[in-house]
Amino acid sequence: MLKEVAEGVLVHESEFIQSNSVVVQGTDGVLLIDPGITVDEMTGLANDLHEWGQPVVAGFSTHPDWDHVLWHANFGDVPRYGTARCAASIQDLLSNADWKARIAVGLPPEYAEQIPMDLLGLITGLPAEAAQIPWDGPKVRIIEHQAHAPGHAALLIEERRVLVAGDMLSDILMPFLDLEAVDPVEDYLAALRLFESVADGVDAVIPGHGSVGGAEQVRVRIKQDRAYVQDLRDGGVPDDPRVGPSATLDWLPDVHRWQLQQLAQREQHETPE
Ligand SMILES: [Zn+2]
Protein backbone atom coordinates (compact mmCIF):
# COMPACT_ATOMS: atom_id res chain seq x y z
CA MET A 1 0.00 0.00 0.00
CA LEU A 2 1.32 3.42 -0.96
CA LYS A 3 1.20 6.16 1.63
CA GLU A 4 1.61 9.79 0.71
CA VAL A 5 4.14 11.59 2.90
CA ALA A 6 4.23 14.87 0.96
CA GLU A 7 2.62 16.12 -2.22
CA GLY A 8 3.54 13.63 -4.93
CA VAL A 9 5.89 11.64 -2.69
CA LEU A 10 4.67 8.21 -1.62
CA VAL A 11 6.18 5.39 0.38
CA HIS A 12 5.68 1.65 0.24
CA GLU A 13 6.88 -0.24 3.30
CA SER A 14 8.11 -3.83 3.01
CA GLU A 15 7.63 -6.50 5.63
CA PHE A 16 11.39 -7.04 5.60
CA ILE A 17 12.83 -4.69 8.26
CA GLN A 18 10.43 -1.96 7.22
CA SER A 19 12.26 -1.31 3.97
CA ASN A 20 10.90 1.79 2.31
CA SER A 21 10.47 2.21 -1.42
CA VAL A 22 9.81 5.77 -2.47
CA VAL A 23 7.72 6.95 -5.41
CA VAL A 24 8.08 10.52 -6.65
CA GLN A 25 5.50 11.80 -9.10
CA GLY A 26 6.92 13.53 -12.16
CA THR A 27 5.47 14.95 -15.35
CA ASP A 28 4.96 11.72 -17.29
CA GLY A 29 5.41 9.08 -14.62
CA VAL A 30 7.26 8.31 -11.42
CA LEU A 31 10.78 7.99 -10.13
CA LEU A 32 11.16 4.81 -8.06
CA ILE A 33 13.79 4.90 -5.32
CA ASP A 34 14.97 1.60 -3.76
CA PRO A 35 12.25 -0.46 -5.49
CA GLY A 36 11.47 -3.16 -2.91
CA ILE A 37 12.36 -6.61 -1.67
CA THR A 38 10.04 -9.48 -2.62
CA VAL A 39 8.42 -10.41 -5.93
CA ASP A 40 4.94 -10.02 -4.43
CA GLU A 41 5.67 -6.57 -3.08
CA MET A 42 7.23 -5.32 -6.29
CA THR A 43 4.53 -6.72 -8.57
CA GLY A 44 1.92 -5.28 -6.18
CA LEU A 45 3.58 -1.89 -6.38
CA ALA A 46 3.84 -2.14 -10.17
CA ASN A 47 0.09 -2.92 -10.30
CA ASP A 48 -0.77 0.02 -8.06
CA LEU A 49 1.26 2.35 -10.26
CA HIS A 50 -0.36 0.91 -13.37
CA GLU A 51 -3.86 1.44 -11.98
CA TRP A 52 -2.89 4.94 -11.01
CA GLY A 53 -1.76 5.52 -14.61
CA GLN A 54 1.78 6.33 -13.55
CA PRO A 55 4.49 4.39 -15.37
CA VAL A 56 7.92 4.18 -13.82
CA VAL A 57 10.19 6.46 -15.86
CA ALA A 58 13.39 6.08 -13.84
CA GLY A 59 14.81 4.27 -10.85
CA PHE A 60 17.43 5.17 -8.28
CA SER A 61 19.31 3.07 -5.74
CA THR A 62 20.63 4.88 -2.69
CA HIS A 63 23.51 2.45 -2.27
CA PRO A 64 24.88 -0.87 -3.51
CA ASP A 65 23.50 -3.23 -0.82
CA TRP A 66 21.30 -6.03 -2.20
CA ASP A 67 18.12 -4.75 -0.53
CA HIS A 68 18.36 -1.44 -2.43
CA VAL A 69 19.30 -2.64 -5.92
CA LEU A 70 16.51 -5.09 -6.75
CA TRP A 71 14.07 -4.64 -9.63
CA HIS A 72 11.12 -6.32 -11.27
CA ALA A 73 10.38 -6.54 -15.01
CA ASN A 74 6.90 -5.12 -14.41
CA PHE A 75 8.47 -1.77 -13.56
CA GLY A 76 9.70 -1.67 -17.14
CA ASP A 77 13.05 -1.28 -18.80
CA VAL A 78 13.94 2.24 -17.72
CA PRO A 79 17.20 3.85 -16.61
CA ARG A 80 18.16 2.85 -13.08
CA TYR A 81 20.59 5.27 -11.55
CA GLY A 82 22.97 5.40 -8.64
CA THR A 83 26.10 7.38 -7.90
CA ALA A 84 29.19 6.48 -9.91
CA ARG A 85 30.67 4.80 -6.83
CA CYS A 86 27.48 2.88 -6.15
CA ALA A 87 27.39 1.57 -9.71
CA ALA A 88 31.10 0.68 -9.67
CA SER A 89 30.69 -1.19 -6.40
CA ILE A 90 27.77 -3.32 -7.56
CA GLN A 91 29.37 -3.91 -10.99
CA ASP A 92 32.45 -5.14 -9.21
CA LEU A 93 30.32 -7.67 -7.35
CA LEU A 94 28.42 -8.73 -10.48
CA SER A 95 31.71 -9.36 -12.28
CA ASN A 96 32.24 -12.44 -10.10
CA ALA A 97 30.88 -15.62 -11.64
CA ASP A 98 29.50 -16.64 -8.24
CA TRP A 99 27.86 -13.31 -7.38
CA LYS A 100 24.47 -14.90 -6.76
CA ALA A 101 25.95 -17.28 -4.20
CA ARG A 102 27.80 -14.41 -2.53
CA ILE A 103 24.58 -12.46 -2.13
CA ALA A 104 22.54 -15.52 -1.17
CA VAL A 105 24.53 -16.10 2.04
CA GLY A 106 23.41 -12.70 3.33
CA LEU A 107 19.73 -13.01 2.46
CA PRO A 108 17.14 -13.41 5.20
CA PRO A 109 16.20 -17.11 4.96
CA GLU A 110 12.48 -16.45 5.44
CA TYR A 111 12.41 -14.25 2.32
CA ALA A 112 15.23 -15.72 0.24
CA GLU A 113 12.94 -17.60 -2.17
CA GLN A 114 10.90 -14.46 -2.71
CA ILE A 115 13.80 -12.20 -3.66
CA PRO A 116 14.32 -11.92 -7.43
CA MET A 117 17.98 -11.83 -8.43
CA ASP A 118 17.58 -11.53 -12.21
CA LEU A 119 17.68 -7.76 -12.55
CA LEU A 120 19.70 -7.10 -9.43
CA GLY A 121 22.21 -4.28 -9.59
CA LEU A 122 21.81 -3.15 -13.20
CA ILE A 123 22.62 0.40 -12.22
CA THR A 124 23.85 3.21 -14.44
CA GLY A 125 26.31 5.37 -12.57
CA LEU A 126 25.69 9.09 -12.78
CA PRO A 127 28.75 11.28 -13.38
CA ALA A 128 30.54 12.06 -10.12
CA GLU A 129 29.64 15.74 -10.44
CA ALA A 130 25.91 15.08 -11.02
CA ALA A 131 24.01 17.25 -8.57
CA GLN A 132 20.57 15.92 -9.37
CA ILE A 133 18.76 12.96 -10.92
CA PRO A 134 18.20 13.48 -14.65
CA TRP A 135 14.44 13.14 -15.02
CA ASP A 136 11.32 15.13 -15.77
CA GLY A 137 9.88 15.88 -12.34
CA PRO A 138 10.61 17.83 -9.19
CA LYS A 139 14.31 18.42 -8.73
CA VAL A 140 15.86 15.58 -6.76
CA ARG A 141 19.20 16.66 -5.35
CA ILE A 142 21.85 13.99 -4.79
CA ILE A 143 23.66 14.29 -1.48
CA GLU A 144 26.48 11.80 -1.79
CA HIS A 145 28.58 10.91 1.21
CA GLN A 146 30.68 8.05 2.49
CA ALA A 147 29.22 6.49 5.61
CA HIS A 148 27.11 3.36 5.39
CA ALA A 149 28.30 2.04 2.04
CA PRO A 150 30.42 3.16 -0.94
CA GLY A 151 28.69 5.84 -2.98
CA HIS A 152 25.80 6.13 -0.54
CA ALA A 153 23.42 8.93 -1.53
CA ALA A 154 20.63 10.67 0.26
CA LEU A 155 18.15 12.51 -1.92
CA LEU A 156 16.65 15.89 -1.17
CA ILE A 157 13.42 16.76 -2.90
CA GLU A 158 13.57 20.45 -2.08
CA GLU A 159 10.16 21.47 -3.45
CA ARG A 160 8.50 18.80 -1.34
CA ARG A 161 10.76 19.26 1.70
CA VAL A 162 11.50 15.55 1.79
CA LEU A 163 14.82 13.88 2.59
CA VAL A 164 15.24 10.29 1.42
CA ALA A 165 18.02 9.19 3.74
CA GLY A 166 19.02 5.75 2.45
CA ASP A 167 20.31 3.58 5.30
CA MET A 168 20.85 6.50 7.66
CA LEU A 169 18.59 8.31 10.16
CA SER A 170 16.52 5.24 10.98
CA ASP A 171 14.42 4.92 14.11
CA ILE A 172 14.95 1.14 14.19
CA LEU A 173 18.51 0.59 12.91
CA MET A 174 21.51 2.23 14.53
CA PRO A 175 24.29 3.38 12.21
CA PHE A 176 25.96 0.55 10.34
CA LEU A 177 29.42 1.81 9.48
CA ASP A 178 31.33 1.01 6.32
CA LEU A 179 34.11 -0.80 8.13
CA GLU A 180 36.11 -1.26 4.95
CA ALA A 181 36.57 2.49 4.60
CA VAL A 182 39.78 4.21 5.70
CA ASP A 183 38.08 6.25 8.40
CA PRO A 184 34.55 4.92 8.99
CA VAL A 185 33.84 6.97 12.10
CA GLU A 186 34.86 10.32 10.65
CA ASP A 187 33.03 9.50 7.40
CA TYR A 188 29.85 8.88 9.34
CA LEU A 189 30.15 12.04 11.41
CA ALA A 190 30.83 14.06 8.25
CA ALA A 191 27.70 12.62 6.61
CA LEU A 192 25.62 13.59 9.63
CA ARG A 193 26.98 17.15 9.38
CA LEU A 194 25.91 17.18 5.76
CA PHE A 195 22.39 16.16 6.77
CA GLU A 196 22.38 18.82 9.44
CA SER A 197 23.21 21.45 6.82
CA VAL A 198 19.97 20.68 4.93
CA ALA A 199 17.74 19.87 7.93
CA ASP A 200 16.04 23.29 7.93
CA GLY A 201 14.55 22.49 4.54
CA VAL A 202 13.10 19.12 5.55
CA ASP A 203 9.62 18.29 6.85
CA ALA A 204 9.76 14.54 6.25
CA VAL A 205 12.66 12.12 6.49
CA ILE A 206 12.30 8.70 4.86
CA PRO A 207 14.88 6.18 6.08
CA GLY A 208 15.76 3.07 4.07
CA HIS A 209 14.30 1.06 6.96
CA GLY A 210 11.95 2.25 9.69
CA SER A 211 9.28 4.85 10.02
CA VAL A 212 8.97 8.14 8.23
CA GLY A 213 9.81 11.01 10.55
CA GLY A 214 8.51 14.57 10.64
CA ALA A 215 10.45 17.83 10.77
CA GLU A 216 11.49 17.51 14.42
CA GLN A 217 12.57 13.89 13.86
CA VAL A 218 15.25 14.93 11.37
CA ARG A 219 17.33 16.60 14.07
CA VAL A 220 16.43 14.02 16.72
CA ARG A 221 17.71 11.24 14.48
CA ILE A 222 20.88 13.10 13.48
CA LYS A 223 21.63 13.61 17.15
CA GLN A 224 20.88 10.00 18.05
CA ASP A 225 23.05 8.66 15.23
CA ARG A 226 25.89 11.01 16.17
CA ALA A 227 25.75 9.93 19.81
CA TYR A 228 25.86 6.29 18.77
CA VAL A 229 28.87 6.78 16.48
CA GLN A 230 30.72 8.80 19.12
CA ASP A 231 30.08 6.11 21.72
CA LEU A 232 31.31 3.50 19.29
CA ARG A 233 34.47 5.54 18.71
CA ASP A 234 35.08 6.21 22.41
CA GLY A 235 34.19 2.73 23.60
CA GLY A 236 31.25 4.05 25.58
CA VAL A 237 28.05 2.14 26.15
CA PRO A 238 25.41 3.72 23.96
CA ASP A 239 22.20 4.71 25.69
CA ASP A 240 20.36 3.85 22.53
CA PRO A 241 17.04 1.99 22.45
CA ARG A 242 17.90 0.55 19.05
CA VAL A 243 20.68 -1.63 20.48
CA GLY A 244 19.52 -1.97 24.08
CA PRO A 245 17.63 -4.87 25.61
CA SER A 246 14.36 -3.50 24.25
CA ALA A 247 15.65 -3.29 20.66
CA THR A 248 12.88 -3.92 18.13
CA LEU A 249 15.27 -6.14 16.20
CA ASP A 250 16.93 -8.68 18.44
CA TRP A 251 20.00 -9.15 16.20
CA LEU A 252 21.10 -5.53 16.47
CA PRO A 253 22.98 -5.85 19.77
CA ASP A 254 25.17 -8.46 18.02
CA VAL A 255 25.87 -6.10 15.13
CA HIS A 256 26.74 -3.44 17.67
CA ARG A 257 29.25 -5.71 19.42
CA TRP A 258 30.73 -6.70 16.08
CA GLN A 259 31.21 -3.05 15.08
CA LEU A 260 32.89 -2.33 18.42
CA GLN A 261 35.21 -5.27 17.97
CA GLN A 262 36.12 -4.36 14.38
CA LEU A 263 36.97 -0.81 15.35
CA ALA A 264 39.06 -1.98 18.30
CA GLN A 265 41.00 -4.32 16.02
CA ARG A 266 41.74 -1.54 13.57
CA GLU A 267 43.07 0.59 16.36
CA GLN A 268 45.43 -2.15 17.43
CA HIS A 269 46.82 -2.36 13.92
CA GLU A 270 47.23 1.38 13.69
CA THR A 271 48.94 1.98 17.03
CA PRO A 272 52.71 1.55 16.74
CA GLU A 273 54.31 -0.79 19.31
ZN1 LIG B 1 19.22 -1.49 3.67
Side-chain angles (χ1 to χ4, degrees):
M1 199 187 64
L2 279 165
K3 231 173 70 186
E4 189 164 54
V5 300
E7 189 198 331
V9 181
L10 301 98
V11 171
H12 177 272
E13 189 185 282
S14 165
E15 260 180 49
F16 170 69
I17 45 173
Q18 288 181 258
S19 304
N20 291 314
S21 305
V22 184
V23 167
V24 186
Q25 198 177 359
T27 311
D28 303 311
V30 302
L31 167 70
L32 178 57
I33 305 162
D34 293 353
I37 308 295
T38 67
V39 171
D40 285 354
E41 285 167 355
M42 287 194 277
T43 49
L45 178 55
N47 282 343
D48 288 350
L49 293 172
H50 183 75
E51 275 168 28
W52 185 28
Q54 295 285 336
V56 177
V57 293
F60 188 88
S61 288
T62 56
H63 62 288
D65 288 347
W66 70 265
D67 51 328
H68 300 264
V69 291
L70 297 167
W71 194 256
H72 193 280
N74 292 6
F75 292 137
D77 185 13
V78 300
R80 295 164 56 190
Y81 301 115
T83 64
R85 280 182 172 173
C86 168
S89 168
I90 197 75
Q91 277 152 17
D92 190 40
L93 177 70
L94 297 180
S95 69
N96 296 291
D98 64 344
W99 69 266
K100 280 189 183 172
R102 291 187 192 205
I103 290 180
V105 291
L107 295 180
E110 66 275 35
Y111 294 103
E113 306 249 295
Q114 272 284 312
I115 296 168
M117 297 268 215
D118 295 343
L119 300 170
L120 183 148
L122 305 179
I123 305 292
T124 301
L126 291 169
E129 66 280 5
Q132 61 188 80
I133 296 179
W135 84 302
D136 192 5
K139 182 177 159 190
V140 180
R141 203 173 122 195
I142 300 168
I143 304 180
E144 184 175 352
H145 48 275
Q146 306 309 315
H148 171 73
H152 192 278
L155 299 173
L156 181 63
I157 310 161
E158 282 168 327
E159 283 169 51
R160 307 285 184 253
R161 301 181 62 84
V162 171
L163 179 68
V164 179
D167 277 4
M168 316 265 300
L169 308 186
S170 167
D171 59 330
I172 58 164
L173 299 179
M174 77 294 190
F176 284 28
L177 278 59
D178 177 6
L179 292 164
E180 280 164 34
V182 178
D183 194 347
V185 166
E186 186 40 46
D187 284 351
Y188 216 101
L189 295 173
L192 294 173
R193 286 194 291 273
L194 203 54
F195 287 162
E196 205 157 42
S197 72
V198 299
D200 280 345
V202 175
D203 288 338
V205 55
I206 307 171
H209 308 274
S211 39
V212 176
E216 74 298 335
Q217 271 292 305
V218 181
R219 288 187 189 279
V220 168
R221 292 186 189 186
I222 291 171
K223 211 172 139 192
Q224 192 181 26
D225 278 0
R226 180 180 292 135
Y228 175 83
V229 173
Q230 285 170 342
D231 280 336
L232 203 58
R233 175 192 65 194
D234 303 337
V237 180
D239 175 22
D240 190 319
R242 298 171 297 182
V243 294
S246 60
T248 331
L249 298 161
D250 59 3
W251 46 276
L252 287 183
D254 285 339
V255 178
H256 167 62
R257 279 188 286 275
W258 180 78
Q259 298 204 106
L260 260 183
Q261 193 190 50
Q262 292 292 310
L263 287 175
Q265 271 178 12
R266 293 166 73 103
E267 226 162 78
Q268 270 173 9
H269 287 294
E270 282 157 16
T271 315
E273 300 285 305

